[in-house]
Short mmCIF file of all heavy atoms in Angstrom, two decimals:
data_model
loop_
_atom_site.label_atom_id
_atom_site.label_comp_id
_atom_site.label_asym_id
_atom_site.label_seq_id
_atom_site.Cartn_x
_atom_site.Cartn_y
_atom_site.Cartn_z
N MET A 26 -3.30 -8.03 32.86
CA MET A 26 -2.21 -7.54 32.00
C MET A 26 -1.65 -6.24 32.57
O MET A 26 -2.40 -5.27 32.77
CB MET A 26 -2.76 -7.31 30.59
CG MET A 26 -1.72 -6.93 29.54
SD MET A 26 -0.76 -8.29 28.91
CE MET A 26 -1.97 -9.08 27.84
N SER A 27 -0.38 -6.22 32.87
CA SER A 27 0.24 -5.04 33.47
C SER A 27 0.41 -3.92 32.44
O SER A 27 0.37 -4.16 31.23
CB SER A 27 1.60 -5.39 34.04
OG SER A 27 2.49 -5.65 32.98
N ARG A 28 0.66 -2.73 32.94
CA ARG A 28 0.85 -1.59 32.04
C ARG A 28 2.08 -1.79 31.16
O ARG A 28 2.08 -1.49 29.98
CB ARG A 28 1.00 -0.32 32.88
CG ARG A 28 1.06 0.94 32.02
CD ARG A 28 1.41 2.12 32.87
NE ARG A 28 0.30 2.49 33.74
CZ ARG A 28 0.36 3.49 34.62
NH1 ARG A 28 1.47 4.19 34.74
NH2 ARG A 28 -0.65 3.77 35.38
N SER A 29 3.13 -2.34 31.81
CA SER A 29 4.37 -2.57 31.06
C SER A 29 4.14 -3.59 29.94
O SER A 29 4.64 -3.43 28.82
CB SER A 29 5.44 -3.05 32.04
OG SER A 29 6.21 -4.08 31.50
N ASN A 30 3.36 -4.61 30.27
CA ASN A 30 3.04 -5.64 29.28
C ASN A 30 2.27 -5.05 28.10
O ASN A 30 2.58 -5.33 26.94
CB ASN A 30 2.14 -6.68 29.97
CG ASN A 30 2.65 -8.07 29.74
OD1 ASN A 30 3.16 -8.37 28.65
ND2 ASN A 30 2.52 -8.94 30.71
N THR A 31 1.28 -4.24 28.42
CA THR A 31 0.46 -3.60 27.39
C THR A 31 1.31 -2.70 26.51
O THR A 31 1.22 -2.74 25.30
CB THR A 31 -0.67 -2.79 28.06
OG1 THR A 31 -1.45 -3.71 28.81
CG2 THR A 31 -1.52 -2.08 27.04
N ARG A 32 2.16 -1.90 27.16
CA ARG A 32 3.00 -0.98 26.40
C ARG A 32 4.03 -1.71 25.55
O ARG A 32 4.33 -1.28 24.45
CB ARG A 32 3.68 0.02 27.35
CG ARG A 32 2.65 0.98 27.87
CD ARG A 32 3.25 2.05 28.70
NE ARG A 32 2.20 3.00 29.07
CZ ARG A 32 2.34 3.96 29.95
NH1 ARG A 32 3.50 4.10 30.57
NH2 ARG A 32 1.36 4.77 30.22
N HIS A 33 4.56 -2.78 26.10
CA HIS A 33 5.53 -3.54 25.32
C HIS A 33 4.86 -4.11 24.07
O HIS A 33 5.39 -4.03 22.97
CB HIS A 33 6.14 -4.66 26.15
CG HIS A 33 7.19 -5.42 25.40
ND1 HIS A 33 8.47 -4.92 25.21
CD2 HIS A 33 7.15 -6.60 24.75
CE1 HIS A 33 9.15 -5.77 24.48
NE2 HIS A 33 8.38 -6.81 24.19
N ARG A 34 3.67 -4.65 24.25
CA ARG A 34 2.92 -5.23 23.12
C ARG A 34 2.64 -4.16 22.08
O ARG A 34 2.84 -4.37 20.89
CB ARG A 34 1.63 -5.86 23.64
CG ARG A 34 0.73 -6.41 22.55
CD ARG A 34 -0.37 -7.31 23.13
NE ARG A 34 -0.80 -6.92 24.45
CZ ARG A 34 -1.75 -6.00 24.70
NH1 ARG A 34 -2.39 -5.40 23.72
NH2 ARG A 34 -2.07 -5.71 25.93
N ARG A 35 2.17 -2.99 22.55
CA ARG A 35 1.84 -1.92 21.60
C ARG A 35 3.08 -1.37 20.91
O ARG A 35 2.97 -0.84 19.80
CB ARG A 35 1.08 -0.82 22.32
CG ARG A 35 -0.30 -1.33 22.69
CD ARG A 35 -1.21 -0.26 23.18
NE ARG A 35 -2.50 -0.86 23.50
CZ ARG A 35 -3.40 -0.30 24.29
NH1 ARG A 35 -3.17 0.87 24.82
NH2 ARG A 35 -4.54 -0.91 24.51
N SER A 36 4.24 -1.47 21.56
CA SER A 36 5.45 -0.96 20.92
C SER A 36 5.86 -1.85 19.74
O SER A 36 6.65 -1.43 18.91
CB SER A 36 6.60 -0.88 21.94
OG SER A 36 7.08 -2.17 22.22
N GLN A 37 5.34 -3.06 19.70
CA GLN A 37 5.67 -3.96 18.60
C GLN A 37 4.74 -3.77 17.40
O GLN A 37 4.94 -4.39 16.35
CB GLN A 37 5.59 -5.43 19.07
CG GLN A 37 6.44 -5.77 20.27
CD GLN A 37 7.91 -5.39 20.08
OE1 GLN A 37 8.52 -5.77 19.09
NE2 GLN A 37 8.45 -4.64 21.02
N TRP A 38 3.71 -2.96 17.56
CA TRP A 38 2.77 -2.68 16.47
C TRP A 38 3.49 -1.95 15.36
O TRP A 38 4.10 -0.92 15.58
CB TRP A 38 1.70 -1.74 17.01
CG TRP A 38 0.43 -2.39 17.41
CD1 TRP A 38 0.26 -3.61 17.99
CD2 TRP A 38 -0.89 -1.80 17.29
NE1 TRP A 38 -1.07 -3.81 18.25
CE2 TRP A 38 -1.79 -2.72 17.83
CE3 TRP A 38 -1.36 -0.60 16.78
CZ2 TRP A 38 -3.15 -2.48 17.86
CZ3 TRP A 38 -2.70 -0.35 16.82
CH2 TRP A 38 -3.60 -1.29 17.36
N LYS A 39 3.38 -2.44 14.18
CA LYS A 39 4.00 -1.73 13.06
C LYS A 39 3.05 -1.74 11.88
O LYS A 39 2.31 -2.71 11.68
CB LYS A 39 5.32 -2.40 12.68
CG LYS A 39 6.44 -2.08 13.65
CD LYS A 39 7.73 -2.77 13.26
CE LYS A 39 8.74 -2.70 14.38
NZ LYS A 39 8.51 -3.71 15.42
N ALA A 40 3.13 -0.69 11.13
CA ALA A 40 2.34 -0.64 9.91
C ALA A 40 2.99 -1.59 8.90
O ALA A 40 4.22 -1.67 8.82
CB ALA A 40 2.32 0.78 9.36
N THR A 41 2.18 -2.32 8.13
CA THR A 41 2.75 -3.22 7.14
C THR A 41 3.17 -2.40 5.92
O THR A 41 2.52 -1.41 5.58
CB THR A 41 1.75 -4.32 6.73
OG1 THR A 41 0.53 -3.67 6.35
CG2 THR A 41 1.49 -5.26 7.90
N ALA A 42 4.24 -2.80 5.30
CA ALA A 42 4.74 -2.09 4.13
C ALA A 42 3.71 -2.18 3.00
O ALA A 42 3.10 -3.22 2.80
CB ALA A 42 6.05 -2.72 3.68
N PRO A 43 3.51 -1.08 2.27
CA PRO A 43 2.54 -1.12 1.17
C PRO A 43 3.02 -2.06 0.07
O PRO A 43 4.21 -2.18 -0.18
CB PRO A 43 2.49 0.33 0.68
CG PRO A 43 3.75 0.95 1.18
CD PRO A 43 4.12 0.23 2.43
N ASN A 44 2.07 -2.74 -0.52
CA ASN A 44 2.36 -3.70 -1.58
C ASN A 44 2.61 -2.97 -2.90
O ASN A 44 1.69 -2.64 -3.62
CB ASN A 44 1.15 -4.65 -1.72
CG ASN A 44 1.56 -6.08 -1.53
OD1 ASN A 44 2.74 -6.41 -1.61
ND2 ASN A 44 0.60 -6.94 -1.31
N LEU A 45 3.88 -2.73 -3.18
CA LEU A 45 4.20 -1.99 -4.40
C LEU A 45 4.43 -2.91 -5.58
O LEU A 45 5.10 -3.92 -5.48
CB LEU A 45 5.46 -1.13 -4.17
CG LEU A 45 5.29 0.09 -3.29
CD1 LEU A 45 6.64 0.72 -3.02
CD2 LEU A 45 4.36 1.10 -3.94
N VAL A 46 3.85 -2.53 -6.70
CA VAL A 46 4.09 -3.24 -7.96
C VAL A 46 4.44 -2.15 -8.97
O VAL A 46 4.15 -0.98 -8.75
CB VAL A 46 2.84 -4.04 -8.43
CG1 VAL A 46 2.54 -5.20 -7.49
CG2 VAL A 46 1.62 -3.14 -8.58
N SER A 47 5.07 -2.54 -10.08
CA SER A 47 5.38 -1.50 -11.06
C SER A 47 4.30 -1.50 -12.15
O SER A 47 3.78 -2.53 -12.54
CB SER A 47 6.77 -1.70 -11.65
OG SER A 47 6.86 -2.94 -12.27
N CYS A 48 3.99 -0.30 -12.58
CA CYS A 48 2.94 -0.10 -13.58
C CYS A 48 3.33 -0.77 -14.91
O CYS A 48 4.48 -0.71 -15.32
CB CYS A 48 2.77 1.41 -13.78
SG CYS A 48 1.60 1.81 -15.07
N GLU A 49 2.35 -1.40 -15.56
CA GLU A 49 2.63 -2.06 -16.84
C GLU A 49 2.97 -1.07 -17.95
O GLU A 49 3.70 -1.37 -18.85
CB GLU A 49 1.41 -2.89 -17.28
CG GLU A 49 1.24 -4.13 -16.44
CD GLU A 49 0.10 -4.99 -16.94
OE1 GLU A 49 -0.40 -4.73 -18.04
OE2 GLU A 49 -0.26 -5.92 -16.21
N ARG A 50 2.38 0.11 -17.85
CA ARG A 50 2.58 1.08 -18.91
C ARG A 50 3.83 1.94 -18.70
O ARG A 50 4.67 2.04 -19.57
CB ARG A 50 1.36 1.97 -19.04
CG ARG A 50 1.46 2.88 -20.25
CD ARG A 50 0.36 3.90 -20.25
NE ARG A 50 -0.83 3.40 -20.93
CZ ARG A 50 -1.90 4.16 -21.19
NH1 ARG A 50 -1.92 5.41 -20.79
NH2 ARG A 50 -2.93 3.65 -21.81
N CYS A 51 3.93 2.57 -17.51
CA CYS A 51 5.04 3.50 -17.30
C CYS A 51 6.12 2.96 -16.37
O CYS A 51 7.11 3.64 -16.14
CB CYS A 51 4.50 4.84 -16.79
SG CYS A 51 3.73 4.71 -15.17
N GLN A 52 5.92 1.75 -15.84
CA GLN A 52 6.90 1.10 -14.96
C GLN A 52 7.14 1.86 -13.66
O GLN A 52 8.11 1.59 -12.96
CB GLN A 52 8.25 0.86 -15.68
CG GLN A 52 8.11 0.08 -17.00
CD GLN A 52 7.41 -1.25 -16.83
OE1 GLN A 52 7.76 -2.02 -15.95
NE2 GLN A 52 6.42 -1.54 -17.65
N GLU A 53 6.28 2.81 -13.34
CA GLU A 53 6.38 3.53 -12.07
C GLU A 53 5.89 2.62 -10.96
O GLU A 53 4.92 1.87 -11.17
CB GLU A 53 5.48 4.78 -12.10
CG GLU A 53 6.08 5.97 -12.81
CD GLU A 53 7.23 6.60 -12.06
OE1 GLU A 53 7.04 6.94 -10.88
OE2 GLU A 53 8.30 6.76 -12.65
N PRO A 54 6.50 2.66 -9.78
CA PRO A 54 5.96 1.88 -8.67
C PRO A 54 4.61 2.46 -8.24
O PRO A 54 4.46 3.67 -8.13
CB PRO A 54 7.00 2.02 -7.57
CG PRO A 54 7.84 3.18 -7.94
CD PRO A 54 7.72 3.37 -9.41
N ARG A 55 3.64 1.59 -8.05
CA ARG A 55 2.32 2.03 -7.61
C ARG A 55 1.78 1.00 -6.63
O ARG A 55 2.29 -0.11 -6.54
CB ARG A 55 1.39 2.19 -8.82
CG ARG A 55 1.15 0.88 -9.57
CD ARG A 55 0.05 1.02 -10.58
NE ARG A 55 -0.15 -0.23 -11.31
CZ ARG A 55 -0.84 -1.27 -10.82
NH1 ARG A 55 -1.37 -1.21 -9.61
NH2 ARG A 55 -0.99 -2.37 -11.53
N LEU A 56 0.75 1.35 -5.91
CA LEU A 56 0.14 0.42 -4.97
C LEU A 56 -0.71 -0.58 -5.73
O LEU A 56 -1.38 -0.24 -6.71
CB LEU A 56 -0.74 1.18 -3.97
CG LEU A 56 -0.01 2.07 -2.98
CD1 LEU A 56 -1.01 2.85 -2.15
CD2 LEU A 56 0.87 1.24 -2.06
N GLN A 57 -0.66 -1.82 -5.22
CA GLN A 57 -1.46 -2.87 -5.84
C GLN A 57 -2.95 -2.56 -5.66
O GLN A 57 -3.35 -2.02 -4.63
CB GLN A 57 -1.14 -4.19 -5.14
CG GLN A 57 -1.12 -5.36 -6.07
CD GLN A 57 -0.52 -6.58 -5.44
OE1 GLN A 57 -0.40 -6.68 -4.22
NE2 GLN A 57 -0.12 -7.52 -6.26
N HIS A 58 -3.76 -2.89 -6.67
CA HIS A 58 -5.21 -2.69 -6.66
C HIS A 58 -5.61 -1.21 -6.66
O HIS A 58 -6.74 -0.87 -6.32
CB HIS A 58 -5.90 -3.41 -5.49
CG HIS A 58 -5.51 -4.85 -5.38
ND1 HIS A 58 -5.10 -5.42 -4.21
CD2 HIS A 58 -5.45 -5.82 -6.31
CE1 HIS A 58 -4.80 -6.70 -4.43
NE2 HIS A 58 -5.00 -6.95 -5.71
N ILE A 59 -4.65 -0.34 -7.01
CA ILE A 59 -4.91 1.09 -7.08
C ILE A 59 -4.46 1.55 -8.47
O ILE A 59 -3.41 1.11 -8.94
CB ILE A 59 -4.09 1.86 -5.99
CG1 ILE A 59 -4.44 1.35 -4.57
CG2 ILE A 59 -4.27 3.37 -6.11
CD1 ILE A 59 -5.76 1.79 -4.02
N ALA A 60 -5.26 2.39 -9.10
CA ALA A 60 -4.87 2.90 -10.42
C ALA A 60 -3.56 3.66 -10.31
O ALA A 60 -3.29 4.30 -9.30
CB ALA A 60 -5.96 3.82 -10.96
N CYS A 61 -2.73 3.57 -11.36
CA CYS A 61 -1.44 4.24 -11.36
C CYS A 61 -1.63 5.75 -11.29
O CYS A 61 -2.35 6.32 -12.11
CB CYS A 61 -0.69 3.85 -12.63
SG CYS A 61 0.86 4.73 -12.82
N PRO A 62 -1.01 6.41 -10.29
CA PRO A 62 -1.18 7.87 -10.18
C PRO A 62 -0.45 8.61 -11.30
O PRO A 62 -0.72 9.78 -11.54
CB PRO A 62 -0.58 8.19 -8.81
CG PRO A 62 0.35 7.07 -8.51
CD PRO A 62 -0.16 5.86 -9.23
N ASN A 63 0.49 7.94 -11.96
CA ASN A 63 1.28 8.59 -13.00
C ASN A 63 0.58 8.62 -14.35
O ASN A 63 0.49 9.66 -14.98
CB ASN A 63 2.62 7.86 -13.11
CG ASN A 63 3.61 8.60 -13.99
OD1 ASN A 63 3.85 9.78 -13.81
ND2 ASN A 63 4.16 7.90 -14.96
N CYS A 64 0.04 7.46 -14.78
CA CYS A 64 -0.61 7.42 -16.10
C CYS A 64 -2.10 7.09 -16.01
O CYS A 64 -2.78 7.09 -17.02
CB CYS A 64 0.12 6.42 -17.00
SG CYS A 64 0.07 4.72 -16.41
N GLY A 65 -2.61 6.84 -14.81
CA GLY A 65 -4.05 6.60 -14.64
C GLY A 65 -4.53 5.27 -15.21
O GLY A 65 -5.70 5.13 -15.54
N THR A 66 -3.64 4.29 -15.32
CA THR A 66 -4.02 3.00 -15.88
C THR A 66 -4.27 1.99 -14.77
O THR A 66 -3.55 1.94 -13.78
CB THR A 66 -2.89 2.49 -16.79
OG1 THR A 66 -2.68 3.43 -17.82
CG2 THR A 66 -3.23 1.15 -17.41
N TYR A 67 -5.32 1.22 -14.91
CA TYR A 67 -5.58 0.12 -13.98
C TYR A 67 -6.07 -1.06 -14.79
O TYR A 67 -7.00 -0.92 -15.60
CB TYR A 67 -6.61 0.52 -12.92
CG TYR A 67 -6.85 -0.59 -11.91
CD1 TYR A 67 -5.84 -0.97 -11.04
CD2 TYR A 67 -8.05 -1.28 -11.89
CE1 TYR A 67 -6.02 -2.00 -10.15
CE2 TYR A 67 -8.25 -2.31 -10.99
CZ TYR A 67 -7.24 -2.67 -10.12
OH TYR A 67 -7.42 -3.70 -9.24
N ASN A 68 -5.46 -2.22 -14.60
CA ASN A 68 -5.83 -3.43 -15.33
C ASN A 68 -5.78 -3.19 -16.85
O ASN A 68 -6.68 -3.56 -17.57
CB ASN A 68 -7.23 -3.90 -14.87
CG ASN A 68 -7.47 -5.35 -15.16
OD1 ASN A 68 -6.53 -6.13 -15.36
ND2 ASN A 68 -8.72 -5.76 -15.19
N ARG A 69 -4.71 -2.53 -17.30
CA ARG A 69 -4.45 -2.19 -18.69
C ARG A 69 -5.56 -1.35 -19.32
O ARG A 69 -5.80 -1.36 -20.51
CB ARG A 69 -4.23 -3.46 -19.54
CG ARG A 69 -2.84 -4.04 -19.32
CD ARG A 69 -2.62 -5.25 -20.19
NE ARG A 69 -2.24 -6.40 -19.39
CZ ARG A 69 -2.43 -7.65 -19.76
NH1 ARG A 69 -3.00 -7.93 -20.91
NH2 ARG A 69 -2.04 -8.63 -19.00
N ARG A 70 -6.27 -0.64 -18.47
CA ARG A 70 -7.37 0.19 -18.95
C ARG A 70 -7.18 1.59 -18.39
O ARG A 70 -6.81 1.74 -17.23
CB ARG A 70 -8.69 -0.40 -18.46
CG ARG A 70 -9.89 -0.10 -19.31
CD ARG A 70 -10.98 -1.13 -19.06
NE ARG A 70 -11.32 -1.19 -17.62
CZ ARG A 70 -12.26 -0.39 -17.07
NH1 ARG A 70 -12.92 0.46 -17.79
NH2 ARG A 70 -12.53 -0.50 -15.79
N GLN A 71 -7.44 2.59 -19.21
CA GLN A 71 -7.34 3.98 -18.74
C GLN A 71 -8.56 4.26 -17.87
O GLN A 71 -9.68 4.16 -18.33
CB GLN A 71 -7.32 4.92 -19.96
CG GLN A 71 -6.93 6.34 -19.63
CD GLN A 71 -5.44 6.51 -19.44
OE1 GLN A 71 -4.66 5.81 -20.08
NE2 GLN A 71 -5.04 7.40 -18.57
N VAL A 72 -8.33 4.53 -16.59
CA VAL A 72 -9.45 4.80 -15.69
C VAL A 72 -9.46 6.24 -15.19
O VAL A 72 -10.46 6.70 -14.67
CB VAL A 72 -9.49 3.81 -14.51
CG1 VAL A 72 -9.83 2.41 -14.99
CG2 VAL A 72 -8.18 3.78 -13.76
N ILE A 73 -8.33 6.94 -15.34
CA ILE A 73 -8.26 8.33 -14.90
C ILE A 73 -7.73 9.15 -16.08
O ILE A 73 -6.76 8.74 -16.73
CB ILE A 73 -7.30 8.51 -13.68
CG1 ILE A 73 -7.74 7.62 -12.51
CG2 ILE A 73 -7.26 9.97 -13.23
CD1 ILE A 73 -6.70 7.56 -11.39
N ASP A 74 -8.35 10.26 -16.37
CA ASP A 74 -7.84 11.13 -17.43
C ASP A 74 -6.66 11.91 -16.90
O ASP A 74 -6.76 12.52 -15.84
CB ASP A 74 -8.94 12.08 -17.90
CG ASP A 74 -9.98 11.33 -18.74
OD1 ASP A 74 -9.59 10.45 -19.51
OD2 ASP A 74 -11.18 11.66 -18.59
N VAL A 75 -5.53 11.83 -17.62
CA VAL A 75 -4.35 12.57 -17.19
C VAL A 75 -3.93 13.61 -18.23
O VAL A 75 -4.37 13.55 -19.35
CB VAL A 75 -3.14 11.63 -16.87
CG1 VAL A 75 -3.32 10.99 -15.52
CG2 VAL A 75 -2.96 10.60 -17.95
ZN1 ZN B 127 1.53 4.07 -14.97
#
């Protein structure tokens, strides 16, 4: 594999867009499988005191 080939391949590497969903309680966009940073709710349960 040539250097140009390796560099071309690596230039195509991209981070995948985060999976955003809106919070059930405050409708703020949040990451899937992560407690809402705005109201601290996850799976309709308060998991973080705000
Ligand atoms: Zn929320």
